[in-house]
C-alpha cells in the first residue's frame, strides 16, 4: 500500500486526458507541445500550493513544547516536511527547465541519442530527457559504478 507522500506525488500528474495523435501528425507538433505545457504548468501549480500549505502548517503548528519528546517529534515532523519540500523545489526547477525546452522547440527528443522519447513516456514522466533505452543504460552504469 503506497504511503501518503507517494500517493500524493502520483496524483499530481493525474487528471489530464492522454494525448490522442491524429493520423499523419508530426511528432511534437504545436498541439503536443501545448498538451505538455498544460501538464507541466498544472503540476508546478500543485507543487507550489503544497509549498504554501507547508509554510502555513509550520506557522500554525509551531509550538514550544515543554516536554522534550513532544518537541523532538514536532522537529522531526517539520524536518521531514522540509526535506520533501526541498525535493519538490528541485522538481519545480526541472519543470521550469522543461518548459523552456518546449518553448525552444527542443522538447521530446533524447538528449543522448537524439531519437523521439515518445508521448506515453513523456506523459508518465513529463520532465524526461532520455529515451527509455538511454535511461536504462544510464541506470545500469549507475548501478555498476555505485556497487
Amino acid at each position: 500500500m503506497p504511503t501518503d507522500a507517494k500517493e500524493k506525488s502520483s496524483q499530481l500528474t493525474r487528471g489530464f486526458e492522454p494525448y490522442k495523435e491524429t493520423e499523419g501528425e508530426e511528432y511534437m507538433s504545436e498541439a503536443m507541445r501545448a498538451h505538455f505545457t498544460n501538464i507541466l504548468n498544472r503540476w508546478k501549480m500543485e507543487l507550489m500550493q503544497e509549498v504554501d500549505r507547508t509554510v502555513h502548517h509550520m506557522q500554525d503548528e509551531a509550538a514550544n513544547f515543554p516536554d522534550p519528546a513532544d518537541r523532538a517529534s514536532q522537529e522531526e515532523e517539520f524536518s521531514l516536511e522540509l526535506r520533501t519540500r526541498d525535493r519538490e523545489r528541485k522538481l519545480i526547477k526541472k519543470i521550469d527547465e522543461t518548459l523552456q525546452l518546449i518553448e525552444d522547440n527542443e522538447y521530446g527528443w533524447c538528449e543522448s541519442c537524439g531519437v523521439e522519447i515518445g508521448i506515453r513516456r513523456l506523459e508518465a514522466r513529463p520532465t524526461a530527457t532520455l529515451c527509455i533505452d538511454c535511461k536504462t543504460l544510464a541506470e545500469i552504469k549507475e548501478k555498476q559504478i555505485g556497487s
Side-chain angles (χ1 to χ4, degrees):
M1 187 165 179
T3 63
D4 288 344
K6 283 185 183 177
E7 195 172 287
K8 187 176 280 188
S9 175
S10 67
Q11 290 174 350
L12 290 176
T13 56
R14 290 187 191 161
F16 68 88
E17 191 71 29
Y19 188 80
K20 292 177 180 60
E21 303 98 322
T22 58
E23 192 174 325
E25 182 177 10
E26 187 177 320
Y27 182 70
M28 278 305 135
S29 65
E30 188 66 37
M32 283 185 204
R33 288 195 309 273
H35 172 72
F36 288 108
T37 298
N38 181 40
I39 290 171
L40 289 161
N41 281 326
R42 281 171 64 201
W43 194 10
K44 181 179 174 181
M45 183 185 69
E46 290 172 3
L47 289 168
M48 298 292 276
Q49 289 172 345
E50 284 297 313
V51 169
D52 290 342
R53 268 194 286 273
T54 297
V55 170
H56 294 302
H57 169 73
M58 291 180 78
Q59 288 172 342
D60 294 344
E61 298 297 318
N64 192 6
F65 293 109
D67 181 31
D70 289 341
R71 191 168 42 246
S73 293
Q74 182 184 49
E75 287 176 12
E76 182 64 22
E77 176 191 334
F78 285 177
S79 175
L80 288 171
E81 268 191 70
L82 290 172
R83 204 171 331 151
T84 301
R85 295 306 155 245
D86 187 51
R87 291 183 72 202
E88 289 175 351
R89 179 188 56 79
K90 291 174 185 171
L91 180 55
I92 289 170
K93 183 179 178 196
K94 191 163 185 164
I95 290 170
D96 287 338
E97 290 168 358
T98 303
L99 287 168
Q100 186 62 49
L101 287 174
I102 292 172
E103 194 173 304
D104 296 341
N105 290 331
E106 295 177 11
Y107 179 70
W109 286 271
C110 178
E111 65 182 26
S112 180
C113 69
V115 302
E116 296 176 359
I117 292 175
I119 294 172
R120 299 302 163 239
R121 173 160 166 68
L122 290 171
E123 284 180 335
R125 183 50 129 180
T127 57
T129 57
L130 298 173
C131 67
I132 195 69
D133 293 334
C134 289
K135 182 63 176 172
T136 302
L137 284 173
E139 287 176 355
I140 290 169
K141 288 177 185 176
E142 189 178 303
K143 284 181 184 176
Q144 289 175 345
I145 292 171
S147 298

